[in-house]
Amino acid sequence: MSTPRPQEPHPIAPRRVAFDWRETPLHWIPGEPTATHVINVLHLLLPAGERWFVKVFKEALPLVRDDQLLKDVKGFMGQEATHSVQHAYVLDHLAHQGLDTAPYTRHVDFLFEYLLGGKPPFGLPVPAPEWLRFRLSLIAAIEQFTAVLGNWVLAADGLDRADPDPVMLDLLRWHGAEEVEHRSVAFDMYQHTGGEDPARYARRVLGMAVTAPVLLYLWAWGAAYLLRHDPQLADRSRYSLREHQRAVRKGLLPTWRELGAAIPRYLRRSYHPSQEGSLRAALGYLASSPAARAAAGAVGRAALS
Ligand SMILES: [Fe+2]
Ligand SMILES: [Fe+2]
């Protein structure tokens, strides 16, 4: 079952970061509530979503017959678990500022814990191995977008120009850099455990066909929820595509083309995510990230003591 893949002799391991949210304003991109909340949707989806990645991968671990992949997968699980926890802290911070996200995240929990849980929902007669492969195909497709978004946020000069809260920018870039760093792992895991071609390819297409519209829907719903419930927007503002486009033009959000082009790329039979983004840029950021540096310093001190 060994799957040949481009070698990236790069060990993947979690960085035990911490962020201090006390000084972070609700509109962490000053004067840009739409861009702020469109990006904030990440905090709504990722705590439950990345926890779910780890659960599904734990189920699939016994299928891995490749030592290097096993190491990568364990590193991936450690990174995603850390991301999940750190984004959950942001939700606490939003709640402290009067923006309660629980009515929205309840639906996200239902999606990941019930609809995509350990057993098919509604007693659907899907065999267990097929149900696992389907969920692995979803994770591989989601990771295509996290790699694209990670690459985008690392290079998003527009965000730098907008004078954002430095702690939030560091969280996004630390996470984005680790997404680029581990961009191939979910795909390799899917390919390795995905059964025989052509079913493996067909399932990959299905994974993306489900993931792209559901993500778009959850994102639009989440941004609308945050704007409507933002206590600092007196008129209970609505999400507007025009405002979104204005933010895109300022470089505060990725373009639709950047996001959309990720789909046909992923559907190429010869595709491998090692071509997404720049590992060098990701590692360059992690070497300068205040949170990642503090985590590395803590590890170094612990090793010396
Ligand atoms: Fe992540
Ligand atoms: Fe990831």
Side-chain angles (χ1 to χ4, degrees):
M1 241 193 336
S2 180
T3 309
R5 58 183 186 276
Q7 285 304 305
E8 279 178 31
H10 175 74
I12 293 165
R15 296 168 182 83
R16 302 297 180 194
V17 292
F19 299 93
D20 182 347
W21 296 112
R22 282 173 297 185
E23 302 294 320
T24 300
L26 188 57
H27 297 165
W28 56 266
I29 310 176
E32 296 285 350
T34 294
T36 295
H37 287 317
V38 167
I39 296 178
N40 276 345
V41 175
L42 285 168
H43 313 308
L44 300 179
L45 301 181
L46 294 177
E50 296 184 308
R51 217 168 37 237
W52 174 76
F53 287 5
V54 175
K55 264 192 206 160
V56 175
F57 270 32
K58 241 184 218 164
E59 267 183 62
L61 276 182
L63 302 175
V64 179
R65 300 276 180 269
D66 177 316
D67 288 346
Q68 183 57 49
L69 180 60
L70 193 61
K71 275 188 205 152
D72 290 348
V73 165
K74 287 183 176 170
F76 173 97
M77 291 164 77
Q79 289 192 340
E80 297 295 22
T82 312
H83 301 166
S84 163
V85 169
Q86 295 305 328
H87 284 277
Y89 288 142
V90 181
L91 293 186
D92 295 342
H93 180 60
L94 294 181
H96 281 138
Q97 291 170 304
L99 182 41
D100 178 16
T101 56
Y104 178 90
T105 54
R106 204 174 291 143
H107 299 285
V108 182
D109 291 344
F110 178 75
L111 168 68
F112 288 112
E113 285 167 20
Y114 178 71
L115 293 180
L116 296 171
K119 290 196 177 120
F122 315 117
L124 287 174
V126 182
E130 192 53 36
W131 180 240
L132 180 57
R133 285 177 190 147
F134 171 63
R135 287 175 295 151
L136 290 169
S137 79
L138 297 182
I139 297 175
I142 295 169
E143 285 285 296
Q144 169 74 348
F145 291 111
T146 58
V148 167
L149 290 174
N151 195 43
W152 173 79
V153 80
L154 286 172
D157 300 338
L159 274 183
D160 292 297
R161 284 194 297 273
D163 193 24
D165 175 68
V167 179
M168 187 64 86
L169 192 62
D170 190 32
L171 168 92
L172 295 172
R173 287 191 167 151
W174 153 75
H175 188 170
E178 289 197 347
E179 290 302 321
V180 172
E181 187 181 34
H182 72 219
R183 64 200 169 199
S184 301
V185 178
F187 185 87
D188 288 340
M189 179 70 155
Y190 172 71
Q191 292 290 90
H192 183 76
T193 59
E196 292 307 306
D197 259 2
R200 188 173 67 175
Y201 177 71
R203 211 182 288 107
R204 171 145 72 93
V205 173
L206 175 68
M208 182 51 91
V210 172
T211 294
V214 171
L215 263 188
L216 184 64
Y217 174 74
L218 288 174
W219 219 290
W221 180 18
Y225 177 92
L226 291 168
L227 284 161
R228 209 169 50 244
H229 293 88
D230 183 329
Q232 292 181 16
L233 299 176
D235 57 349
R236 300 271 141 165
S237 185
R238 284 169 185 271
Y239 170 79
S240 111
L241 210 49
R242 186 193 286 192
E243 274 298 302
H244 186 122
Q245 278 309 108
R246 198 185 54 73
V248 168
R249 280 195 296 276
K250 289 172 90 169
L252 301 174
L253 296 172
T255 65
W256 295 107
R257 180 192 291 258
E258 254 173 307
L259 298 171
I263 299 171
R265 209 160 58 236
Y266 182 78
L267 297 179
R268 268 190 232 132
R269 273 188 183 269
S270 60
Y271 177 77
H272 190 269
S274 49
Q275 62 188 256
E276 295 294 332
S278 159
L279 183 61
R280 180 189 295 238
L283 297 179
Y285 181 74
L286 289 166
S288 67
S289 151
R293 284 171 63 103
V299 170
R301 282 192 299 281
L304 287 174
S305 64

